[in-house]
Amino acid sequence: MLLGLPRSVGRLAIPAMMALTACVPPSAVQFDEPYVGVPVDRAVNWRGYEAGTGAQQIAMSGRPREESPIDTKTIYDLPALVDLALHANPETRVSWEEAKAAAARLERNRSAWYPTLTAMAFGQYFKTSFPIPGSALVSTGYSSVGSLDLAWTLFDFGRREALVDAGAQRLRAANFAFNRKHQEIAYRVASSFFAYQATLAKVTAAQQTLDAAQANSASVQAKLDKGLATRPDLLLAVQEQARASYDLQDARSSVTQIHADLTANLGISPSYTLQLIDLSKLQLPAKLVQSVEKIVDQALEQHPDLMARLAELRAREAEVKKARAEFLPKFSLGGSLGNQYWGNVHTNPPGNESYSASNGVGTAMLTMEWTLFDGFERSNAVHEAEARKEASKAQLEASRLEIMRDIWKAYADTKTALEKREFALALLKAAEESYAATEESYTHGFSTVIELLSAQKDLARARYTEIDSRATLLRSAATLVYASGGQSREESNIDSETIGRRIP
């Protein structure tokens, strides 16, 4: 069946969001109730867009406003945001409907195994004239016919089997694409969430830098008042304070754009205000616990994109079988059963008499249909099907190489991010200690204002570097899991004690 996501996911770590759907081939398809991971209605009703003050301006179609998926009192962590996106993002509805369409096509193909029964009825008024010596024999009246017609293909040398097989394989491909779309949305939400939180952290760091710059300006001013500093020293401190103010406003200006990207990936309006968990509270990966070769091997066994390509190849192979079966005859059973009625029939001449009649009619036949020559249409159809099959083989190989490339790149990026994270922490610690020592030294008159401001700049850069290293590591870990197609807890790529918790 089509696989969905649990509505409540609890507290899970970052890579688990990339593996929310399993890549299991479908055994049956039921659409009586939408599965839990599918939005039960359209995500956004644009007619509900209203001019307002930044409150909720877009109503969820078909839902009262009080049933909006946004809870303004909840602090959203990443699992909660992913769950929200999988219910609100319209792309999940697209993939769901495409999977339903594939299931309907399969059932249409299976209907070829059943007979068709057609009811037919018609009525007419007639007037006929037949020449006879000296005059004409004229008949007038009305008639009606009703019948049931049966047509049933008994044997077609594998045409129907090939159609059903191709439909089943394309349903598998739609299911894998459905799962991959969930992983894609989860990955996009995670990436934009990390970017948004990193931007907020930079605003905080910029505010801290501005506070330090203001304190330094006040300190230099106090020394200038006592004759222990020069006016150029004060102007340098004021200059750094202005630079810190500019950096703060620049960081704030980026928040709106990044927030819009996040809400777009969630499938909600940017007018919604979300309370999000702070980036500093997220646990980070400690290490990579698997080799890249093992991750590649696991991905090649269960990656949704690869499985979808393989299913498409099997469907193309079935189409080749059908094209070849067209060269063989087809045996069908046909028949009809009905009644024919004539009423108020007049003849003139002789006698101006009238009469009515009713007769039962029926036929039964066994038909063999065999096209002997068609201008090489069937031969070219076979060539076309075989070419499409070979193209699918090439696409499968191309997908395999692309997945391997993406995994190797993501693995290297994650490994580098882990190392850079250690250096960023060491840099921040050293910059904080250096600034504290320089500030104390300046207070006692042992350091110049230039040294103080230089230490302040170094501390600001170290703060930004630490924030970037944290966000980069989280994004790299998420990218690695997404590139590998999502894996189970036992096959986790990241240290399970820190970030590798996955859905059971």
Side-chain angles (χ1 to χ4, degrees), residues 59-195:
M60 307 305 289
S61 176
R63 299 177 184 175
R65 183 174 294 273
E66 63 269 19
E67 295 183 6
S68 168
I70 305 299
D71 187 352
T72 57
K73 298 180 180 180
T74 300
I75 299 178
Y76 284 86
D77 57 5
L78 184 55
L81 285 177
V82 170
D83 184 65
L84 171 62
L86 293 176
H87 288 83
N89 196 313
E91 294 182 29
T92 60
R93 169 62 66 181
V94 173
S95 59
W96 169 251
E97 297 298 338
E98 289 176 349
K100 287 174 62 178
R105 284 193 298 269
L106 174 59
E107 296 306 317
R108 285 180 56 191
N109 294 340
R110 286 175 175 163
S111 66
W113 287 96
Y114 298 95
T116 59
L117 187 63
T118 306
M120 183 185 68
F122 71 90
Q124 66 176 353
Y125 173 82
F126 66 89
K127 179 178 182 180
T128 62
S129 177
F130 187 77
I132 59 176
S135 65
L137 179 63
V138 179
S139 298
T140 60
Y142 61 89
S143 68
S144 62
V145 176
S147 66
L148 292 175
D149 297 335
L150 173 71
W152 193 359
T153 299
L154 299 178
F155 190 66
D156 62 359
F157 291 93
R159 292 175 175 87
R160 291 171 294 180
E161 292 95 332
L163 278 175
V164 171
D165 190 19
Q169 293 298 331
R170 289 203 164 94
L171 177 58
R172 286 168 54 88
N175 272 271
F176 288 123
F178 181 64
N179 293 339
R180 189 57 171 170
K181 176 56 69 174
H182 277 194
Q183 296 177 359
E184 177 189 341
I185 291 176
Y187 171 68
R188 282 160 39 192
V189 169
S191 298
S192 56
F193 172 74
F194 298 147

Side-chain angles (χ1 to χ4, degrees), residues 216-218 220-221 224 229-239 449:
N216 291 338
S217 296
V220 174
Q221 180 67 54
L224 179 62
T230 64
R231 184 165 181 78
D233 292 341
L234 179 60
L235 293 177
L236 284 175
V238 172
Q239 175 183 324
V449 68

